[in-house]
Amino acid sequence: CPAFMPSDRRAPASSRALSTLAAYAVVASCTPASTHGSLLAHGAGSRVAMSTFASGVSWSWADTWGSCEWSWGYAVGTAHDRAMKLRSALRQPVQRAAWLQNASTPVGELLLGLALSDQRAQNSGTPTVVSPVLGAMASGRFADEQGACESLLAHMKAAGKAAPVEGLGALTDEDARRAVAVVALECVQFETRGM
């Protein structure tokens, strides 16, 4: 089982803010017009803690998709335990909408929600545009969160589900990765369909 080390290369604060605003423009391409204002209102300057989990829960790649204990798809393991908690906390569309619009929900938590939503779609016989990426995540093909998010963005662009946005680049900025995860969740209709 691979043990990947996450990287934490951060851009200067001014670059992060610009990247966040540019990334939220991508979100606008998949979200209803009524939610655009609230997405931007919760942007770079707003940091309201909204994680479903305790502050000590690690969402690093090495502790989630890159970990032997994650065990995606099994009835035991860290993924199962966190999935159960996330499903319980986000049962209603209004809860899912608030979670999506929060600018400080950890990217790893968003990716878990995306994986659960995609798993539900696949189990009902309707794979999503991001199903290949989530299959690759489950099989350990990505060394880190950045690689997974870059692949998500590429699949959505190829399917015409995300408008190209300058400034996202290699997605080394956490806010840009968060925006990509939110776009993917919107494109699979997470808010209305659930997980």
Side-chain angles (χ1 to χ4, degrees):
C1 181
F4 299 110
M5 298 302 296
S7 62
D8 188 26
R9 294 172 278 147
R10 300 290 302 219
S14 59
S15 297
R16 287 196 309 267
L18 290 174
S19 294
T20 299
L21 293 175
Y24 281 114
V26 175
V27 174
S29 71
C30 287
T31 57
S34 63
T35 62
H36 292 178
S38 57
L39 284 168
L40 291 172
H42 289 87
S46 173
R47 294 289 183 230
V48 180
M50 182 74 177
S51 177
T52 307
F53 299 85
S55 61
V57 171
S58 173
W59 288 102
S60 75
W61 197 262
D63 293 330
T64 57
W65 298 97
S67 166
C68 295
E69 290 80 30
W70 187 245
S71 300
W72 177 254
Y74 292 90
V76 294
T78 308
H80 179 266
D81 297 343
R82 291 189 188 181
M84 190 168 48
K85 184 169 184 165
L86 192 62
R87 280 187 176 122
S88 177
L90 302 178
R91 291 184 189 273
Q92 303 298 318
V94 68
Q95 294 166 318
R96 292 189 293 271
W99 183 74
L100 281 175
Q101 293 173 8
N102 187 278
S104 63
T105 302
V107 177
E109 190 174 328
L110 292 168
L111 291 175
L112 175 59
L114 179 61
L116 291 167
S117 186
D118 182 71
Q119 183 182 57
R120 180 179 183 165
Q122 287 197 49
N123 288 342
S124 68
T126 55
T128 69
V129 67
V130 296
S131 292
V133 178
L134 295 165
M137 284 171 51
S139 64
R141 291 193 196 134
F142 299 111
D144 57 21
E145 181 180 278
Q146 179 180 335
C149 288
E150 287 172 350
S151 186
L152 280 171
L153 184 59
H155 274 76
M156 290 186 299
K157 283 182 179 179
K161 298 289 185 181
V165 175
E166 280 190 51
L168 289 181
L171 301 181
T172 56
D173 183 85
E174 185 177 3
D175 288 336
R177 291 191 305 273
R178 183 178 295 110
V180 168
V182 169
V183 170
L185 283 156
E186 293 291 342
C187 289
V188 300
Q189 300 173 343
F190 173 80
E191 184 180 330
T192 56
R193 291 184 178 175
M195 50 188 154

